[in-house]
Amino acid sequence: MDRNTITGLVLIGLILTVFSIINRPTEEDIKKRQDELAKKEQAKTDSKKVLTQDTLNQDTLTVIQNVIEEENTASVSDSIVVSKSPVIKDTVIIKETDKFIIHFTNIGGQIEALYLKEYKSYNDYKANKSNALCLFKKGDQNTSFSFYDGDTRVNTAKWDFEFDNSKAKEISFSYNYNKGKVVQTYTLKNGSYNIDYKVEFVKLDNISKDNIQMKWKTSFLQTEKLLSEQRRVSTICYNEKEEGFDYLSETSDDDSDIENDITWIAYKQSYFSSIIQPRQAFNKNKSKMTVRTYDEGHRLEHTHIKDFESVLSLNLDQNSNNTISFKWFFGPNDYEVLEAANPEYTEILNFGWGLFRWINIYAVQPIFNFLLSAGLSIGIAILILTLIIKTLLMPVQWKMFVSSVKMKILKPKTEAINEKYPNKEDAMKKQMEMMSLYKESGASPLSGCLPMLIQMPILLAVFRFFPASFELRQQSFLWADDLSSFDSILDLGFNIPLYGDHVSLFTLLMAGTTLAYTFMNSGNMQQPTQPGMPNMKVLMYIFPVMMIFFFNNYSSGLSYYYFISTLCSILIMFLIKKFFVDEEKLKLKMEAKVDSSKNGKQKKKSRFQEKLEEMQRKQQEALKNRKK
């Protein structure tokens, strides 16, 4: 660095120093700025009010007022009638019962946020915090009514409602429109997850009553451990007046124009729901429902489950006194709670369809609830439930095992028959000889299939029961912190496609016992005798590996059940083989039966066997005619 460069840098430094000294504020300027900031803070404090009201049950009522900026009144789909003042005060009124805390807002006269006091989100559960579960917060819930006044479409979404909060468990919002008014009344009560909701259109005779619509939109917050699993089972369910229960797709975006009047509609997520039931069914005309997932990069992608939206036409006629009433349910997807609110609501629980649902509702669930009511921990209750089911199915498993042993004993003879008739033309002869062998020995390949068919409905029913069972939510057992979600013994820190970012030990144990059970039965599996037939032994070994990927993100309670169930099957099979069924004695018994059949009187052929012989005879004649 030369002398000129050094001289320049020094001069620049001196200039900056002098400039900062000259422009430094005086003490008077500093004091003036501090006074201005203090006045602004005081103005903010003065713009807020906190009002409290003592009630008989010590409920707390808080009103917080915040001034918001003037808003444009244009809407994408509707032209909204503006309030009398360009500046709307967003007043939040908080009501509380023993079940929930509700935030009401005067803007639109609607519910703004809702907290369930008896439950926690998974994050608060893990952090051992006592915060109430927030089902939705400000900006997530919107309800409004729209109607035609002449040619103008009017919407109540931005109306600045006046409110009457004089009653402890009731709040009423009213807005004067033309010569009449719109009144919304919410009534709460302890011990209930229902809110009575009433809307009155007072002296609005000039509006078109046959086209009043309610727009209801909700975006539920994530409340469970795995957001993707919550999205997988969340949708809109509804009950049609004529056709009964139905629902939109759980796994993808879906929408539907309503074809029948609707008696109730539910926004259902994995363990909580919001259900609205009008006294008079929603009219099918111009009503529709939509459920949407979030695209990548959406602002709610990592915090919310889905967007639920409905446009519902009201059945408001002259006999209703321009009033429509609703019951609004906000609560858990617990079978007993839903049944108490409305037995039809239990349809939203995905216990399977038909026979599987009946097994869960009338067999599995009553036994499971009885065990829990006896004071047993959730893990022990699942264990005992598994033992009860396996005990009931033990005769079936006995039958399957004996059948498999018989088929194993006959395996050399069946292979000899296959070698005896290698050609396709001899398929009928081979089948006849196989049937004779099975009949003489008292064995049948179908005798093992029938018991399996008896077990399958129970296995599939339980597959639906545990993921839908509210009792598993936030219940820990061994290393699993929440049996309603996956267990993890190792967080990988990266995601493996189709597998996940963690290692579930219950899933590994389930797959391991399934593999061991498959190995124990592999000797009894028949190899395919026809070309192109799949090798069942190979498929049965692939299945446990597939389970590792399929169950890794599933309910650990379900994996635990299947692990215990398969372990019991292995134990039962071992005991039967060791103490109850002697293969050598069974083999001698079968051989004696064959000898007896050959030396004794020829048994009358069955009708099926006679038909097979007739088919064989015709097939041989056809072959002879072809050769000629």
Side-chain angles (χ1 to χ4, degrees):
M1 186 179 293
D2 59 17
R3 186 175 58 182
N4 292 334
T5 302
I6 295 172
T7 303
L9 291 174
V10 171
L11 289 174
I12 291 171
L14 289 173
I15 292 171
L16 291 174
T17 302
V18 172
F19 183 81
S20 61
I21 293 172
I22 293 174
N23 287 276
R24 185 175 61 186
T26 63
E27 293 183 3
E28 185 178 351
D29 292 334
I30 294 173
K31 186 176 180 181
K32 184 177 180 181
R33 178 60 178 166
Q34 289 175 343
D35 291 341
E36 289 176 355
L37 290 174
K39 288 179 180 179
K40 287 184 178 181
E41 290 296 326
Q42 185 63 39
K44 288 181 181 179
T45 303
D46 292 341
S47 69
K48 300 178 182 179
K49 288 185 179 180
V50 178
L51 305 178
T52 61
Q53 175 183 355
D54 295 330
T55 61
L56 294 176
N57 56 1
Q58 301 298 318
D59 284 346
T60 304
L61 173 69
T62 308
V63 179
I64 306 169
Q65 295 185 329
N66 296 312
V67 177
I68 63 174
E69 297 179 357
E70 179 179 354
E71 302 184 28
N72 294 327
T73 59
S75 173
V76 175
S77 57
D78 302 324
S79 58
I80 302 173
V81 175
V82 299
S83 63
K84 292 176 287 186
S85 170
V87 178
I88 304 174
K89 294 181 179 180
D90 181 6
T91 306
V92 179
I93 307 97
I94 301 177
K95 288 281 190 180
E96 186 172 348
T97 71
D98 60 337
K99 297 298 182 184
F100 37 54
I101 302 168
I102 306 179
H103 291 199
F104 295 93
T105 174
N106 64 303
I107 301 177
Q110 59 187 307
I111 297 174
E112 183 177 79
L114 189 137
Y115 299 81
L116 294 171
K117 295 173 68 175
E118 297 175 319
Y119 306 100
K120 303 178 183 179
S121 68
Y122 175 79
N123 290 334
D124 286 339
Y125 162 71
K126 282 293 292 180
N128 199 26
K129 294 181 179 179
S130 58
N131 299 330
L133 181 143
C134 183
L135 202 59
F136 51 84
K137 59 182 178 60
K138 182 177 181 179
D140 296 337
Q141 161 95 354
N142 182 274
T143 55
S144 62
F145 295 89
S146 62
F147 53 86
Y148 276 103
D149 184 358
D151 295 330
T152 305
R153 186 71 172 173
V154 181
N155 192 299
T156 66
K158 298 295 182 182
W159 283 5
D160 185 5
F161 281 80
E162 297 178 355
F163 59 90
D164 178 3
N165 197 35
S166 58
K167 297 180 181 179
K169 291 292 184 292
E170 182 178 293
I171 185 168
S172 179
F173 294 92
S174 63
Y175 184 88
N176 294 325
Y177 179 77
N178 290 344
K179 296 181 180 179
K181 61 182 177 178
V182 176
V183 181
Q184 301 182 71
T185 305
Y186 301 84
T187 304
L188 293 71
K189 54 186 175 182
N190 282 325
S192 175
Y193 291 100
N194 280 323
I195 297 173
D196 290 331
Y197 178 40
K198 181 174 66 175
V199 184
E200 301 170 85
F201 299 89
V202 182
K203 294 183 180 179
L204 296 180
D205 299 327
N206 57 323
I207 69 172
S208 177
K209 297 185 182 64
D210 60 349
N211 195 29
I212 298 178
Q213 290 186 316
M214 175 182 182
K215 185 175 182 180
W216 175 29
K217 183 177 180 180
T218 300
S219 302
F220 284 130
L221 283 162
Q222 176 185 358
T223 58
E224 309 306 315
K225 186 175 184 178
L226 188 60
L227 181 56
S228 61
E229 185 63 17
Q230 276 198 276
R231 286 187 176 134
R232 191 184 64 82
V233 297
S234 298
T235 188
I236 296 178
C237 302
Y238 56 96
N239 194 71
E240 295 181 326
K241 195 172 184 179
E242 297 178 2
E243 300 296 328
F245 178 77
D246 206 348
Y247 57 93
L248 301 185
S249 173
E250 291 181 332
T251 56
S252 61
D253 291 354
D254 198 8
D255 55 65
S256 175
D257 291 327
I258 297 174
E259 298 179 354
N260 295 289
D261 288 359
I262 300 294
T263 58
W264 54 265
I265 182 170
Y267 291 175
K268 186 208 79 165
Q269 52 130 306
S270 51
Y271 290 110
F272 299 94
S273 291
S274 176
I275 309 174
I276 193 165
Q277 178 183 3
R279 179 172 295 175
Q280 295 174 311
F282 291 118
N283 195 303
K284 63 182 179 181
N285 295 326
K286 298 183 180 180
S287 293
K288 60 182 179 180
M289 299 171 293
T290 304
V291 59
R292 292 282 182 266
T293 54
Y294 302 114
D295 296 329
E296 186 175 353
H298 193 282
R299 64 183 182 86
L300 303 181
E301 178 188 4
H302 302 294
T303 57
H304 291 65
I305 301 170
K306 289 180 180 178
D307 277 347
F308 305 85
E309 185 172 350
S310 300
V311 177
L312 305 165
S313 297
L314 305 184
N315 270 320
L316 189 68
D317 54 35
Q318 298 298 325
N319 297 327
S320 65
N321 196 28
N322 295 337
T323 301
I324 187 161
S325 300
F326 308 87
K327 282 194 177 297
W328 214 336
F329 173 91
F330 298 96
N333 294 340
D334 182 284
Y335 185 88
E336 293 181 355
V337 172
L338 292 172
E339 188 176 40
N342 183 346
E344 291 182 354
Y345 292 172
T346 59
E347 292 286 345
I348 71 174
L349 300 177
N350 192 358
F351 281 156
W353 53 271
L355 178 62
F356 310 124
R357 186 176 184 85
W358 298 340
I359 290 172
N360 279 328
I361 291 177
Y362 300 113
V364 178
Q365 182 174 253
I367 295 172
F368 190 55
N369 288 344
F370 172 77
L371 295 173
L372 292 176
S373 65
L376 298 176
S377 68
I378 192 79
I380 301 301
I382 294 175
L383 173 62
I384 295 177
L385 175 66
T386 309
L387 294 176
I388 291 172
I389 293 174
K390 296 306 291 185
T391 302
L392 294 173
L393 294 175
M394 188 178 292
V396 176
Q397 192 160 358
W398 174 287
K399 186 72 174 176
M400 288 177 60
F401 180 75
V402 172
S403 175
S404 67
V405 171
K406 286 182 177 181
M407 295 303 296
K408 181 181 178 182
I409 292 170
L410 292 178
K411 189 175 181 181
K413 294 183 179 181
T414 57
E415 289 177 349
I417 294 174
N418 287 327
E419 291 174 2
K420 183 179 178 181
Y421 301 104
N423 300 323
K424 290 183 179 180
E425 303 86 55
D426 300 323
M428 194 65 69
K429 289 182 180 180
K430 181 171 67 175
Q431 188 67 25
M432 288 292 298
E433 199 161 328
M434 285 281 193
M435 289 188 65
S436 297
L437 175 64
Y438 292 145
K439 186 176 181 181
E440 291 169 357
S441 61
S444 172
L446 296 178
S447 62
C449 297
L450 185 60
M452 177 60 73
L453 291 176
I454 295 173
Q455 286 190 92
M456 284 305 293
I458 298 176
L459 294 174
L460 293 175
V462 173
F463 177 76
R464 286 294 188 185
F465 175 75
F466 283 111
S469 177
F470 190 83
E471 288 78 9
L472 267 65
R473 184 178 185 270
Q474 294 181 2
Q475 295 296 316
S476 61
F477 180 66
L478 299 178
W479 57 85
D481 62 345
D482 185 351
L483 286 173
S484 69
S485 188
F486 65 87
D487 63 293
S488 176
I489 58 167
L490 177 64
D491 294 327
L492 300 176
F494 56 90
N495 187 68
I496 299 176
L498 302 178
Y499 181 70
D501 59 359
H502 60 274
V503 177
S504 168
L505 182 55
F506 274 131
T507 301
L508 293 178
L509 291 173
M510 176 189 62
T513 51
T514 305
L515 192 63
Y517 185 72
T518 303
F519 179 77
M520 290 179 68
N521 286 280
S522 60
N524 303 330
M525 294 180 189
Q526 297 293 317
Q527 294 300 316
T529 59
Q530 301 293 332
M533 292 289 287
N535 191 325
M536 291 303 297
K537 185 180 288 188
V538 174
L539 290 178
M540 292 303 292
Y541 277 114
I542 292 175
F543 181 67
V545 178
M546 294 174 59
M547 291 174 71
I548 294 176
F549 291 88
F550 188 73
F551 281 86
N552 195 58
N553 290 323
Y554 260 50
S555 161
S556 53
L558 179 63
S559 299
Y560 167 59
Y561 165 79
Y562 278 138
F563 163 59
I564 296 298
S565 180
T566 310
L567 201 61
C568 289
S569 296
I570 293 173
L571 180 61
I572 290 171
M573 183 173 290
F574 174 79
L575 293 174
I576 292 174
K577 187 175 181 179
K578 188 76 173 175
F579 300 105
F580 299 101
V581 177
D582 190 324
E583 285 192 28
E584 290 301 321
K585 288 183 179 180
L586 185 60
K587 183 177 181 181
L588 292 173
K589 186 177 179 181
M590 291 173 66
E591 289 175 352
K593 191 170 184 179
V594 171
D595 294 338
S596 149
S597 178
K598 289 179 178 178
N599 299 329
K601 286 185 177 181
Q602 185 70 26
K603 290 185 179 180
K604 185 179 178 181
K605 295 178 181 178
S606 66
R607 187 175 298 178
F608 180 67
Q609 194 170 5
E610 288 176 353
K611 286 185 178 181
L612 280 177
E613 288 180 352
E614 180 64 22
M615 290 172 63
Q616 182 185 11
R617 185 182 63 77
K618 289 181 179 180
Q619 186 183 35
Q620 288 174 347
E621 288 178 359
L623 288 172
K624 287 179 182 180
N625 292 332
R626 285 180 189 175
K627 289 178 181 179
K628 291 179 180 179

